[in-house]
């Protein structure tokens, strides 16, 4: 019974490059959420997606960030032209329905040099 | 969503019960209390949730006061692996954005 999978676990990018973070939800879960944890800060909600739909992206920075959850394949969080302030742990969670009982992956730690 | 207040840190001896309090005095009638924990550098882990009745599962028990203004998460026999930051979150039945706040850092000592 595989849990939520995220890859890569660690990602190093130079300023200006693109970062792609992938998340495969738990089997049977069609709702995906992305959270960001900046160093020494709490987790902040970024975006909520269902298959092929963005339900709520109120926590996403307005520029450079995008997310998708295609019909086939994992959810992708894409950060274009990364800056040092994007360095953080990015966690993905999934649930059976849109709800607060969510199951989290191990996270992707992004370092921008 | 109702705001929650938790002590910043607590200690507990291994093998003893850890009782983690949470105040949520502005909780409304259809809001649930959720508990998560985050062990250092790992993804948050769902523990338990409840509306008004006490709840128990294999990980913990959740005691909610009759007026629902506060709750206590109980880890009956704490182990060193329970050392983590514990978050109390209040959300409506259809709520999905988890507001993690600062939580309580629980240290279980030998």
């Amino acid at each position: 019974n595989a849990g939520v999978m995220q890859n890569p676990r660690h990602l190093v990018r130079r300023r200006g490059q693109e970062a792609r973070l992938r998340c495969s939800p738990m089997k049977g879960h069609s709702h995906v959420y992305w959270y960001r944890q900046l160093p020494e800060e709490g987790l902040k909600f970024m975006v909520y997606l269902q298959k092929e739909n963005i339900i709520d992206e109120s926590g996403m920075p307005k520029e450079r960030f995008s997310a998708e959850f295609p019909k086939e394949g994992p959810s992708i969080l894409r950060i274009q032209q990364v800056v040092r302030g994007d360095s953080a742990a990015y966690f993905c969670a999934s649930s059976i329905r849109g709800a607060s009982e969510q199951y989290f992956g191990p996270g992707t730690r992004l370092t921008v040099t | 969503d109702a705001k929650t207040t938790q002590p910043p840190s607590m200690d507990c001896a291994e093998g003893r019960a850890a009782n983690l309090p949470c105040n949520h005095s502005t909780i409304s009638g259809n809001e649930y209390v959720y508990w998560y924990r985050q062990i250092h550098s790992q993804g948050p882990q769902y523990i338990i949730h409840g509306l008004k009745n006490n709840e128990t599962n294999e990980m913990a028990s959740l005691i909610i006061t009759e007026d629902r203004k506060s709750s206590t998460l109980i880890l009956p026999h704490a182990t060193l692996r329970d050392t983590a930051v514990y978050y109390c979150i209040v959300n409506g039945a259809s709520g999905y954005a988890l507001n993690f706040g600062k939580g309580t850092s629980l240290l279980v000592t030998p």
Side-chain angles (χ1 to χ4, degrees), chain B residues 3-80:
Chain B
K3 180 179 166 58
T4 62
T5 304
Q6 299 178 252
S9 63
M10 293 182 64
D11 291 349
C12 177
E14 188 178 18
R16 305 297 290 267
N19 298 293
L20 293 98
C22 179
N23 286 326
H24 31 79
S25 58
T26 60
I27 193 170
S28 57
N30 63 349
E31 288 183 315
Y32 288 72
V33 180
Y34 290 82
W35 283 84
Y36 281 79
R37 72 180 181 183
Q38 186 176 26
I39 297 169
H40 181 62
S41 295
Q42 297 182 21
Q45 180 185 21
Y46 165 80
I47 301 172
I48 198 167
H49 74 278
L51 182 63
K52 51 178 79 171
N53 298 322
N54 298 338
E55 302 288 344
T56 295
N57 63 20
E58 64 279 1
M59 287 183 69
S61 294
L62 174 60
I63 308 297
I64 302 174
T65 57
E66 196 168 337
D67 63 7
R68 304 210 322 124
K69 292 185 177 182
S70 65
S71 60
T72 301
L73 179 75
I74 301 171
L75 308 178
H77 306 286
T79 71
L80 299 179

